Amino acid sequence: MKIGLGEHFNYKKLIRFVLPSIVMMIFISIYGIVDGIFVSNIVGSNAFASVNFVMPVLMIIGAIGFMVGTGGSALVSLTIGQGHQKKANEYFSLLIYFLLATGIVVSLLIFIFVDKMVRWLGADATIVNDCILYGRILSALMPFFLLQNCFQNFLVVAEKPGFGLIITVVAGVTNMVLDFLFMYVFKMGVAGAACATGISWIVGTTIPFLYFIKRKENELKLVKPKWNSSVVVKSCSNGLSEMLSNISLSIVNMLFNMQLMKYAGANGVVAYGIIMYVSFIFVGTYQGYSFAIAPVIGYNYGAKNNKELKNIFKKSIIIIGIFSVVMTVAAESLSPLLANIFVSYDKDLVAMTTLAIRIFSLSFIISGFNIFASSLFTALNNGIISALISFLRTFVFQIIMIFGLPLLFDLNGLWMSVVFAEILSVIVSICCVCCNRKRYQYF
């Protein structure tokens, strides 16, 4: 049964609405993990290190898609809530074609300069060639990655989160099957991993593109766009927090890798790569919930339905609180198993990774509230506060901890850095939510 943005949400209906997006984010994480398992166990730990070394560069570019998708979907859902469907379609179409053009430009730039970037970031002789090869193949397909990220947000606005999940599953299965063929059967190494990922991006973009072309006029669909610079600026500024979050995460990952090369060598980079894969599953639950509920918040804010806005806010805090406890306990309990899945061939690396996951996982008890707080203000079209929370959480606080805590706790200080950054961030989030409650009336 279809659930509309303007309906009253009890717990059952709310979970049903957000569940496809949560499952989608978890599935994205799972097929990313499968990618890593294939690379680590078939090609080797150096190849695995090279993939994780260059991935933050690609994620920085991919953040443009998240920015346009989150900021644009908030604006479009607000416009629909105000009763302007035709205008919403024009905004949506403009943003998609603007993103496509932007993706082509940045794709060319990354393709040309990726070799200089990985060398500047400190890739040594054991991984530099694989870094360049992996980066060049995926940079050529980057426009598809940007559009895939963006379309997922607009499928929620179109009240089709379940279809978004189906697309993700199809793309993910494509990636996993091609991983097996390219790396195990055809022995293509890192190039095979890159090709499998790139083709999955094409699949994940083509399906929603065709879907939005064929929709009816009274539904969210692609139409002939009209240039409107204010729409582009508003969407980009509103989605700035999500872009900053992804860029910050990528920069922090680069700095993490540089520090790990100093304190633990290539094994440290491998352990951190595993942590990131694990983190994608757990944090992805919060992200899936937050971006699924954002259009509902934006719609009710646009419709001035304060009663339902309060209902959504209260239930969201309770649900995220339950998620936080369950996922933290799960991550702590499963840490040895998760480490062995990737590097069972190296007992010392298993021990390092298990301890790292256990320390890092303490952050899951807090991170969900920070992710929701940032998404809340994006949905309310307040990109400034959303960006502030995101920038402090994923960049400022983490960089301070990355360079400060190792001086006190050596390698364990690096694993602790995210935990302390989340603690500082939740203080900022609480202050922002409380200070703006009268303005937005969400409680």
Side-chain angles (χ1 to χ4, degrees), residues 47-92:
F48 184 63
S50 69
V51 169
N52 287 288
F53 203 86
V54 75
M55 188 56 73
V57 176
L58 302 177
M59 290 299 104
I60 287 177
I61 307 304
I64 299 172
F66 286 111
M67 175 184 69
V68 175
T70 53
S73 63
L75 177 61
V76 170
S77 61
L78 177 70
T79 305
I80 294 173
Q82 293 171 337
H84 305 302
Q85 183 67 54
K86 182 180 178 181
K87 187 181 292 185
N89 288 341
E90 291 174 356
Y91 291 173
F92 165 57

Side-chain angles (χ1 to χ4, degrees), residues 12-232:
K12 181 179 179 180
K13 188 178 291 186
L14 184 58
I15 293 296
R16 283 179 54 206
F17 185 81
V18 302
L19 188 59
S21 296
I22 293 174
V23 175
M24 179 191 71
M25 293 301 295
I26 292 174
F27 190 81
I28 289 173
S29 304
I30 290 172
Y31 80 71
I33 287 174
V34 172
D35 226 22
I37 292 171
F38 271 106
V39 174
S40 181
N41 289 280
I42 295 176
V43 190
S45 61
N46 282 342
F48 184 63
S50 69
V51 169
N52 287 288
F53 203 86
V54 75
M55 188 56 73
V57 176
L58 302 177
M59 290 299 104
I60 287 177
I61 307 304
I64 299 172
F66 286 111
M67 175 184 69
V68 175
T70 53
S73 63
L75 177 61
V76 170
S77 61
L78 177 70
T79 305
I80 294 173
Q82 293 171 337
H84 305 302
Q85 183 67 54
K86 182 180 178 181
K87 187 181 292 185
N89 288 341
E90 291 174 356
Y91 291 173
F92 165 57
S93 303
L94 171 62
L95 293 170
I96 292 298
Y97 291 116
F98 167 78
L99 185 60
L100 175 60
T102 303
I104 293 171
V105 173
V106 297
S107 176
L108 290 172
L109 293 174
I110 295 298
F111 187 88
I112 294 169
F113 295 109
V114 68
D115 59 334
K116 292 182 174 59
M117 284 189 287
V118 297
R119 294 180 195 277
W120 177 78
L121 289 170
D124 62 25
T126 62
I127 64 173
V128 67
N129 289 332
D130 280 342
C131 285
I132 294 170
L133 178 61
Y134 188 81
R136 282 211 165 120
I137 292 172
L138 285 183
S139 65
L141 299 170
M142 190 56 64
F144 293 100
F145 184 45
L146 268 61
L147 287 169
Q148 181 184 23
N149 293 339
C150 185
F151 273 132
Q152 287 297 338
N153 291 93
F154 282 109
L155 283 167
V156 178
V157 177
E159 300 174 348
K160 293 290 183 179
F163 185 51
L165 172 60
I166 293 172
I167 294 170
T168 301
V169 171
V170 172
V173 170
T174 300
N175 192 0
M176 289 185 278
V177 171
L178 293 179
D179 272 336
F180 175 78
L181 289 175
F182 292 162
M183 283 187 276
Y184 185 76
V185 178
F186 300 131
K187 309 297 182 184
M188 292 173 61
V190 168
C195 290
T197 298
I199 292 171
S200 75
W201 292 350
I202 295 173
V203 172
T205 297
T206 303
I207 297 173
F209 187 83
L210 294 175
Y211 171 77
F212 279 117
I213 285 177
K214 295 181 179 180
R215 296 201 88 197
K216 298 177 182 178
E217 291 297 330
N218 63 342
E219 299 174 323
L220 187 66
K221 68 171 294 181
L222 285 168
V223 297
K224 184 178 180 180
K226 295 181 180 179
W227 176 251
N228 187 329
S229 59
S230 64
V231 170
V232 175

Side-chain angles (χ1 to χ4, degrees), residues 351-371:
M352 176 193 291
T353 304
T354 300
L355 177 61
I357 293 173
R358 281 180 169 156
I359 296 173
F360 188 96
S361 296
L362 296 173
S363 66
F364 299 153
I365 199 74
I366 306 168
S367 59
F369 296 102
N370 291 322
I371 291 169

